[in-house]
Every structure is written in structure tokens, then in C-alpha cells.
Amino acid sequence: MQDTNKKTKAVVLGGGGVTGIAWEIGIITGLLQEGIDLSDADVIIGTSAGSFVGTALASGYDMKKLYASQFILNESEVNVSVSSEVMKLWTEAFIYGKDDKMKIGKMFGDIAKKYPSIVSKEERQAVVESRLTTTIWPSKLKVTAVDAETGVLHVFDKDSDASLINAVNASGAVPGLWPIVTFNDRYWIDGGMVSSTNAFLADSYDKVVILAPMPHKYGLVPSVKEDAENLQKRAAISLIIPDNESILAIGKNPYDPTYSTESAKAGFLQGIREAAGIYETWL
């Protein structure tokens, strides 16, 4: 007989570049050391960096092993940064898009098409494949990406007509930084360009843990904190953002893989410190 009193759980993993991946892995492993296993979630929602980490977590991969891998240089990674010109266009998208997520998403799609990445699709594919712990869709994983033509946010899962590699590649396709992704006759860009976590997607769950490497508010779109406060009206919410030590470890460019090791270390220690605060929420 199904336990109708059982509380449903969701983990939301936000975007934050390669250092965000390392930080989230560190947080999850630090929590695990303190007896909090986020893989117990009923659903894991990954956006951009979070889609890579979410794949591992949702598939039951050994997170301690994944944490250890952050101390070894991944030779497939490419050190990139957003140009000042593209950054200006990002800012304009939020100014002119105001609180219209679809309009902002479409403007980011236009940026991706007008300012193609200097990284080839083959190089980016190698990066994506090197980060993934499996190519098989985990049953509890959901991955976000934005349709570059319409600006509509899509959520992919095991029942979608998209491979895991394509979905994760699209979810992390930062406009002007990484190549735009094409599949199913559509163009796709980063799922975190309007909301770095898309935490609102967890609105039907009773307990939610949100990891947000990039918690800052842009324009009039609700911030991660505002999304969490809205979810808190009906659910138990734990929002974890980088503390001062993690901010220093992550550095100024989240796309620089040379900061991954320190980001993972800082995340691990922060995860241990955060554990007591979310223990009752999660367990």
C-alpha cells in the first residue's frame, strides 16, 4: 500500500559554469559525509552546470568518487570567458525583456546566433562527454534548456525525444560562449539564461533543496531567493548559495577550469557546515 503521508523530495541544481559543477559536487559530498544523501530525492532538476551534476546524482553514481575527480585536471575542458561585448548584450536582454521570460530567452537566442562560439561543436561535445558519468537517462532526472527561436523553456526527461547528451549539451549552451545546440529541428541554448536554477519547477514537492552557484538577481525576473521564498509557502525549503569562502574559491570567471579543485574543496567544507541547517528539512 502506498504511503500517502510520505513527503516528496526535490533537488534543484543551478547553473554556474565549470566551477559551479565542482562546487555543487563538493556541497553534495560534504552533505553526504554528514549523513544527508540528496540522491534520495524523487526528482532532480538540473539547469546548465546542474544538469551535469544532476546526471551523476540521479543515476546513483558514487559522489565521493566524482568529488575525487575534481582534483585531477580534465584535459577536455576549455578555458573560456564571456567577452565584454556579449556581456553587454546579456544586460540589454534583461533591461528590454523586463519580466517577460520568453522575450528574454528569445533575445539570448538571437545573441547565440549572432555571436557564435570560438569553440567548435566537436570541442564542446568532447567537454560534455568528459563531464558525464553516464549517457543513459536517469529516471528521476529533469534537464532544462531554452528554445532559441521562441524563448520558451523546455524540460527534458527520459520520456523526451532527446538523448541525454543532447539535452545536457543544450542546457549548458551559454550564448556567445558555447556553440548553439541543434536537435529535433530546433535550436537550443542554456536553460539558465533567464533563471539560474528554475527552482519554480519544484513547486509540487514537499521538501526542496536548492543549490545555486549563481544566486544573483538580473533584471525583473525573480531571483533564486524569491523563487525559494515562493516555494516556502507550501514546502520546506533549503537554499544553499556560495558563502564567502566558496566565493573566493570560485573566482571571477566561472568558466575557468583551473579553479575547479578549489571550488570543490570549498563546496565540500561548506556542505559540512550547511548540513545541520538542512537536516530536519530533508530527513
Side-chain angles (χ1 to χ4, degrees):
M1 182 179 295
Q2 186 176 1
D3 182 3
T4 57
N5 294 318
K6 183 178 181 294
K7 300 295 185 181
T8 56
K9 299 178 180 179
V11 171
V12 178
L13 302 171
V18 68
T19 57
I21 290 174
W23 178 80
E24 289 182 350
I25 292 170
I27 289 284
I28 292 168
T29 310
L31 292 174
L32 186 60
Q33 178 157 307
E34 297 302 300
I36 298 173
D37 187 355
L38 294 186
S39 69
D40 289 340
D42 298 289
V43 67
I44 295 169
I45 302 168
T47 290
S48 197
S51 67
F52 292 97
V53 181
T55 295
L57 187 64
S59 66
Y61 191 80
D62 185 342
M63 296 306 293
K64 292 181 179 179
K65 181 179 179 179
L66 190 59
Y67 176 70
S69 73
Q70 300 305 299
F71 293 77
I72 303 170
L73 178 65
N74 180 354
E75 295 184 355
S76 295
E77 289 289 352
V78 181
N79 192 339
V80 291
S81 60
V82 180
S83 69
S84 57
E85 184 177 10
V86 170
M87 185 64 75
K88 181 181 178 182
L89 292 173
W90 286 9
T91 301
E92 290 177 354
F94 284 110
I95 292 173
Y96 295 113
K98 297 182 179 180
D99 60 350
D100 187 335
K101 290 185 177 182
M102 285 178 55
K103 183 175 181 179
I104 296 170
K106 187 178 184 306
M107 291 178 74
F108 274 117
D110 292 339
I111 293 169
K113 288 179 281 187
K114 187 175 180 180
Y115 293 86
S117 172
I118 61 172
V119 178
S120 70
K121 291 185 177 181
E122 292 73 22
E123 286 177 298
R124 176 57 176 170
Q125 185 79 3
V127 172
V128 171
E129 291 177 357
S130 74
R131 293 176 179 176
L132 286 175
T133 56
T134 182
T135 58
I136 300 171
W137 267 107
S139 61
K140 62 177 67 175
L141 178 67
K142 296 183 182 296
V143 171
T144 67
V146 172
D147 186 316
E149 300 286 345
T150 65
V152 174
L153 180 75
H154 283 250
V155 180
F156 297 100
D157 59 22
K158 64 180 181 60
D159 296 320
S160 302
D161 187 18
S163 69
L164 179 64
I165 289 178
N166 279 343
V168 172
N169 193 2
S171 188
V174 182
L177 189 72
W178 299 116
I180 199 167
V181 176
T182 307
F183 61 86
N184 295 348
D185 297 321
R186 306 298 299 176
Y187 295 99
W188 304 96
I189 59 170
D190 195 303
M193 297 316 297
V194 174
S195 169
S196 68
T197 63
N198 295 300
F200 66 90
L201 293 172
D203 63 354
S204 63
Y205 292 84
D206 301 308
K207 299 183 176 186
V208 183
V209 171
I210 306 167
L211 305 190
M214 291 182 171
H216 304 295
K217 181 178 175 67
Y218 298 99
L220 300 178
V221 176
S223 66
V224 175
K225 184 178 179 181
E226 289 169 333
D227 273 346
E229 289 173 348
N230 189 52
L231 291 173
Q232 209 159 20
K233 295 174 182 177
R234 64 166 305 279
I237 308 296
S238 290
L239 170 62
I240 303 177
I241 66 175
D243 59 14
N244 290 335
E245 289 79 3
S246 290
I247 290 171
L248 288 173
I250 289 170
K252 295 183 178 180
N253 179 13
Y255 310 107
D256 184 347
T258 63
Y259 283 80
S260 292
T261 296
E262 293 305 314
S263 298
K265 287 181 183 177
F268 178 77
L269 294 174
Q270 185 179 348
I272 291 174
R273 292 192 294 271
E274 298 276 2
I278 72 169
Y279 189 84
E280 291 186 4
T281 300
W282 191 249
L283 300 179

